[in-house]
Amino acid sequence: MNWRLLMATWLMVFMQGVAYAAVEEAVVQLQTANGVLEGTLLVPEAKRGMPVVLLVAGSGPTDRNGNQPGLHHNALLQLSGALAQYGIASLRYDKRGVGRSMSAAPREEDLRFEQYAADARDWVKWLARDKRFGNVTVIGHSEGALLGMLAARQAKVANFVSIAGPGRPADQSLQMQLVSQPAEIQSMALPVIERLKRGKTVDLVNPALQALFRPSVQPYLISWFKYDPAKEIAKLKMPVLVVQGTADIQVEEEDAWLLGAANQRATVVSIDGMNHIFKKSVPDRAQNWNTYTQPELPVMPELIAILAKFIRQGGKLD
C-alpha cells in the first residue's frame, strides 16, 4: 500500500472531526528510588477511558518539550497539544538529570541505558493507575524509540509508535556517521567503538574524541550498544507503527524499513518532507538544521493525522 498517497485523505478526514479543548495541564511527579522525575500531563475534554500517550524523548539532555541547550524547537510540546485536539491525553517528561528532573541525576559513570528504559516503564505504570485513561500508547522519538520498545515489553501497553527511530545498533550508526569524517578521526574512533561493543572500556582516549568517548560515558555506551532495535521491536506483541520522514538528516529511511521488516504487526509510514523533529524541511543540511532553532514552526499535520488515527482506531490505519 502506498501510504504517501493516503496522507492528504487522512488529513482531510481528521480536520473535519470535532476538536477537543484542552481543559487540564498539570505538572506531575514520579517518585523513583534515585530521585524525582517531573513531567507535564495534558488532558483533553473527553469521556472516561480516553487514550493516553507517553512521549519518550531522544538522546542527549532533552527536556519534556523536546529541547536541548542550543536546540529549541518545541517538537514534543507541539505534538502533545496537537494530539489533545483529537481527544488524546499525553504525558511528556524531563529526562533523568534534565530540567526539573535534575534531582534524579546519577553520576555520569553510573548512568545506564536500562535506567532510562525503566523510567519510561514506570511512567507507563503511573498512567495506568489513573482511572481517566484507557489504552496507553508509547511514542518513542529517535533514541527514545528503543527505550520505548524496552518499556513497552515491561509494562502494559496497547500500542507502540517509533518516530525517526534507528533500525540498527548504536555502534553501527556511529560507524556510519564516521564515514563523513577525516580518515584520521575514523582510524582513532573505530577501534574504540569495537572495544566498547565487546563490553570493554578504553583507558586512553585521544583528546579529539573526549566529547564522545570520555571514560565516564563509556559504561553508558556499552549498555546502549548491546541492544539491536530490530531485534527488540520483533519482541513486541502489540500493534506497532513506524514513522519516518523523508527529510530526516539524522536517521535514514532504511532504518524504518529495517524496523518494519522485523515485526509482522508493524506498519511503516513515510511522510514526505518531514525532518527529524517533525517539521517540514528540505534535505539540505544547513536549511534543515535551521529548523531546530525555530520553535514557531509547527509539527507537520500529516504526522498528527496518522498518530491520531492509529491510536483512536486501536492500532489500525485501514
PDB file of all heavy atoms in Angstrom, residues 54-73:
ATOM      1  N   LEU A  54       2.472   8.203  26.167  1.00  0.00           N
ATOM      2  CA  LEU A  54       3.699   8.601  26.849  1.00  0.00           C
ATOM      3  C   LEU A  54       4.701   8.958  25.767  1.00  0.00           C
ATOM      4  O   LEU A  54       5.003   8.137  24.898  1.00  0.00           O
ATOM      5  CB  LEU A  54       4.250   7.468  27.708  1.00  0.00           C
ATOM      6  CG  LEU A  54       5.602   7.771  28.368  1.00  0.00           C
ATOM      7  CD1 LEU A  54       5.430   8.829  29.466  1.00  0.00           C
ATOM      8  CD2 LEU A  54       6.231   6.509  28.949  1.00  0.00           C
ATOM      9  N   LEU A  55       5.217  10.180  25.804  1.00  0.00           N
ATOM     10  CA  LEU A  55       6.203  10.637  24.835  1.00  0.00           C
ATOM     11  C   LEU A  55       7.598  10.438  25.416  1.00  0.00           C
ATOM     12  O   LEU A  55       7.929  11.020  26.455  1.00  0.00           O
ATOM     13  CB  LEU A  55       5.975  12.114  24.489  1.00  0.00           C
ATOM     14  CG  LEU A  55       4.612  12.443  23.865  1.00  0.00           C
ATOM     15  CD1 LEU A  55       4.453  13.952  23.680  1.00  0.00           C
ATOM     16  CD2 LEU A  55       4.459  11.729  22.530  1.00  0.00           C
ATOM     17  N   VAL A  56       8.405   9.631  24.755  1.00  0.00           N
ATOM     18  CA  VAL A  56       9.759   9.322  25.219  1.00  0.00           C
ATOM     19  C   VAL A  56      10.751  10.044  24.318  1.00  0.00           C
ATOM     20  O   VAL A  56      10.831   9.775  23.116  1.00  0.00           O
ATOM     21  CB  VAL A  56      10.028   7.811  25.198  1.00  0.00           C
ATOM     22  CG1 VAL A  56      11.401   7.503  25.792  1.00  0.00           C
ATOM     23  CG2 VAL A  56       8.942   7.060  25.974  1.00  0.00           C
ATOM     24  N   ALA A  57      11.489  10.971  24.890  1.00  0.00           N
ATOM     25  CA  ALA A  57      12.394  11.823  24.125  1.00  0.00           C
ATOM     26  C   ALA A  57      13.642  11.074  23.657  1.00  0.00           C
ATOM     27  O   ALA A  57      13.969   9.999  24.150  1.00  0.00           O
ATOM     28  CB  ALA A  57      12.795  13.033  24.963  1.00  0.00           C
ATOM     29  N   GLY A  58      14.344  11.695  22.717  1.00  0.00           N
ATOM     30  CA  GLY A  58      15.544  11.104  22.142  1.00  0.00           C
ATOM     31  C   GLY A  58      16.793  11.337  22.974  1.00  0.00           C
ATOM     32  O   GLY A  58      16.727  11.676  24.162  1.00  0.00           O
ATOM     33  N   SER A  59      17.942  11.170  22.341  1.00  0.00           N
ATOM     34  CA  SER A  59      19.219  11.191  23.042  1.00  0.00           C
ATOM     35  C   SER A  59      19.601  12.583  23.526  1.00  0.00           C
ATOM     36  O   SER A  59      19.066  13.594  23.076  1.00  0.00           O
ATOM     37  CB  SER A  59      20.320  10.655  22.128  1.00  0.00           C
ATOM     38  OG  SER A  59      20.432  11.471  20.975  1.00  0.00           O
ATOM     39  N   GLY A  60      20.554  12.601  24.448  1.00  0.00           N
ATOM     40  CA  GLY A  60      21.076  13.859  24.955  1.00  0.00           C
ATOM     41  C   GLY A  60      20.251  14.428  26.094  1.00  0.00           C
ATOM     42  O   GLY A  60      19.267  13.826  26.535  1.00  0.00           O
ATOM     43  N   PRO A  61      20.615  15.623  26.566  1.00  0.00           N
ATOM     44  CA  PRO A  61      19.907  16.260  27.686  1.00  0.00           C
ATOM     45  C   PRO A  61      18.594  16.888  27.219  1.00  0.00           C
ATOM     46  O   PRO A  61      18.446  18.120  27.164  1.00  0.00           O
ATOM     47  CB  PRO A  61      20.913  17.313  28.157  1.00  0.00           C
ATOM     48  CG  PRO A  61      21.658  17.693  26.910  1.00  0.00           C
ATOM     49  CD  PRO A  61      21.782  16.410  26.120  1.00  0.00           C
ATOM     50  N   THR A  62      17.626  16.043  26.901  1.00  0.00           N
ATOM     51  CA  THR A  62      16.376  16.507  26.302  1.00  0.00           C
ATOM     52  C   THR A  62      15.295  16.689  27.357  1.00  0.00           C
ATOM     53  O   THR A  62      15.057  15.807  28.177  1.00  0.00           O
ATOM     54  CB  THR A  62      15.887  15.502  25.244  1.00  0.00           C
ATOM     55  OG1 THR A  62      16.959  15.205  24.344  1.00  0.00           O
ATOM     56  CG2 THR A  62      14.726  16.073  24.451  1.00  0.00           C
ATOM     57  N   ASP A  63      14.615  17.841  27.306  1.00  0.00           N
ATOM     58  CA  ASP A  63      13.559  18.099  28.278  1.00  0.00           C
ATOM     59  C   ASP A  63      12.200  17.648  27.757  1.00  0.00           C
ATOM     60  O   ASP A  63      12.092  17.072  26.673  1.00  0.00           O
ATOM     61  CB  ASP A  63      13.541  19.583  28.678  1.00  0.00           C
ATOM     62  CG  ASP A  63      13.119  20.516  27.541  1.00  0.00           C
ATOM     63  OD1 ASP A  63      12.536  20.049  26.532  1.00  0.00           O
ATOM     64  OD2 ASP A  63      13.358  21.731  27.667  1.00  0.00           O
ATOM     65  N   ARG A  64      11.170  17.895  28.523  1.00  0.00           N
ATOM     66  CA  ARG A  64       9.826  17.413  28.208  1.00  0.00           C
ATOM     67  C   ARG A  64       9.271  17.976  26.901  1.00  0.00           C
ATOM     68  O   ARG A  64       8.374  17.376  26.309  1.00  0.00           O
ATOM     69  CB  ARG A  64       8.879  17.737  29.363  1.00  0.00           C
ATOM     70  CG  ARG A  64       8.531  19.206  29.504  1.00  0.00           C
ATOM     71  CD  ARG A  64       7.796  19.490  30.809  1.00  0.00           C
ATOM     72  NE  ARG A  64       8.710  19.413  31.937  1.00  0.00           N
ATOM     73  CZ  ARG A  64       8.314  19.511  33.210  1.00  0.00           C
ATOM     74  NH1 ARG A  64       7.028  19.672  33.503  1.00  0.00           N
ATOM     75  NH2 ARG A  64       9.198  19.452  34.185  1.00  0.00           N
ATOM     76  N   ASN A  65       9.784  19.105  26.472  1.00  0.00           N
ATOM     77  CA  ASN A  65       9.295  19.727  25.240  1.00  0.00           C
ATOM     78  C   ASN A  65      10.094  19.320  24.011  1.00  0.00           C
ATOM     79  O   ASN A  65       9.807  19.757  22.903  1.00  0.00           O
ATOM     80  CB  ASN A  65       9.298  21.246  25.390  1.00  0.00           C
ATOM     81  CG  ASN A  65       8.321  21.720  26.453  1.00  0.00           C
ATOM     82  OD1 ASN A  65       7.298  21.087  26.681  1.00  0.00           O
ATOM     83  ND2 ASN A  65       8.648  22.812  27.117  1.00  0.00           N
ATOM     84  N   GLY A  66      11.120  18.479  24.222  1.00  0.00           N
ATOM     85  CA  GLY A  66      11.945  18.015  23.114  1.00  0.00           C
ATOM     86  C   GLY A  66      13.179  18.846  22.886  1.00  0.00           C
ATOM     87  O   GLY A  66      13.915  18.626  21.915  1.00  0.00           O
ATOM     88  N   ASN A  67      13.432  19.826  23.771  1.00  0.00           N
ATOM     89  CA  ASN A  67      14.526  20.771  23.567  1.00  0.00           C
ATOM     90  C   ASN A  67      15.788  20.377  24.329  1.00  0.00           C
ATOM     91  O   ASN A  67      15.741  19.657  25.328  1.00  0.00           O
ATOM     92  CB  ASN A  67      14.093  22.168  24.008  1.00  0.00           C
ATOM     93  CG  ASN A  67      12.869  22.657  23.253  1.00  0.00           C
ATOM     94  OD1 ASN A  67      12.713  22.405  22.063  1.00  0.00           O
ATOM     95  ND2 ASN A  67      11.987  23.372  23.944  1.00  0.00           N
ATOM     96  N   GLN A  68      16.918  20.896  23.827  1.00  0.00           N
ATOM     97  CA  GLN A  68      18.216  20.757  24.470  1.00  0.00           C
ATOM     98  C   GLN A  68      18.888  22.121  24.453  1.00  0.00           C
ATOM     99  O   GLN A  68      18.459  23.015  23.719  1.00  0.00           O
ATOM    100  CB  GLN A  68      19.104  19.765  23.713  1.00  0.00           C
ATOM    101  CG  GLN A  68      18.595  18.349  23.643  1.00  0.00           C
ATOM    102  CD  GLN A  68      19.587  17.437  22.938  1.00  0.00           C
ATOM    103  OE1 GLN A  68      20.768  17.737  22.811  1.00  0.00           O
ATOM    104  NE2 GLN A  68      19.092  16.299  22.465  1.00  0.00           N
ATOM    105  N   PRO A  69      19.942  22.292  25.234  1.00  0.00           N
ATOM    106  CA  PRO A  69      20.685  23.554  25.170  1.00  0.00           C
ATOM    107  C   PRO A  69      21.128  23.853  23.739  1.00  0.00           C
ATOM    108  O   PRO A  69      21.790  23.033  23.104  1.00  0.00           O
ATOM    109  CB  PRO A  69      21.885  23.305  26.089  1.00  0.00           C
ATOM    110  CG  PRO A  69      21.374  22.300  27.079  1.00  0.00           C
ATOM    111  CD  PRO A  69      20.474  21.405  26.287  1.00  0.00           C
ATOM    112  N   GLY A  70      20.727  24.988  23.220  1.00  0.00           N
ATOM    113  CA  GLY A  70      21.094  25.372  21.861  1.00  0.00           C
ATOM    114  C   GLY A  70      20.168  24.845  20.792  1.00  0.00           C
ATOM    115  O   GLY A  70      20.293  25.216  19.612  1.00  0.00           O
ATOM    116  N   LEU A  71      19.237  23.975  21.155  1.00  0.00           N
ATOM    117  CA  LEU A  71      18.283  23.408  20.189  1.00  0.00           C
ATOM    118  C   LEU A  71      16.873  23.564  20.767  1.00  0.00           C
ATOM    119  O   LEU A  71      16.422  22.756  21.579  1.00  0.00           O
ATOM    120  CB  LEU A  71      18.580  21.934  19.914  1.00  0.00           C
ATOM    121  CG  LEU A  71      19.928  21.610  19.280  1.00  0.00           C
ATOM    122  CD1 LEU A  71      20.109  20.106  19.169  1.00  0.00           C
ATOM    123  CD2 LEU A  71      20.055  22.266  17.909  1.00  0.00           C
ATOM    124  N   HIS A  72      16.200  24.611  20.343  1.00  0.00           N
ATOM    125  CA  HIS A  72      14.889  24.938  20.896  1.00  0.00           C
ATOM    126  C   HIS A  72      13.861  24.905  19.765  1.00  0.00           C
ATOM    127  O   HIS A  72      13.775  25.840  18.966  1.00  0.00           O
ATOM    128  CB  HIS A  72      14.926  26.328  21.534  1.00  0.00           C
ATOM    129  CG  HIS A  72      13.660  26.712  22.234  1.00  0.00           C
ATOM    130  ND1 HIS A  72      13.273  26.166  23.435  1.00  0.00           N
ATOM    131  CD2 HIS A  72      12.687  27.590  21.892  1.00  0.00           C
ATOM    132  CE1 HIS A  72      12.120  26.687  23.806  1.00  0.00           C
ATOM    133  NE2 HIS A  72      11.737  27.558  22.882  1.00  0.00           N
ATOM    134  N   HIS A  73      13.099  23.804  19.707  1.00  0.00           N
ATOM    135  CA  HIS A  73      12.130  23.659  18.617  1.00  0.00           C
ATOM    136  C   HIS A  73      10.739  23.252  19.094  1.00  0.00           C
ATOM    137  O   HIS A  73       9.779  23.301  18.324  1.00  0.00           O
ATOM    138  CB  HIS A  73      12.630  22.632  17.595  1.00  0.00           C
ATOM    139  CG  HIS A  73      13.123  21.358  18.200  1.00  0.00           C
ATOM    140  ND1 HIS A  73      12.267  20.423  18.741  1.00  0.00           N
ATOM    141  CD2 HIS A  73      14.385  20.871  18.377  1.00  0.00           C
ATOM    142  CE1 HIS A  73      12.987  19.402  19.215  1.00  0.00           C
ATOM    143  NE2 HIS A  73      14.259  19.637  19.019  1.00  0.00           N
TER     144      HIS A  73
END
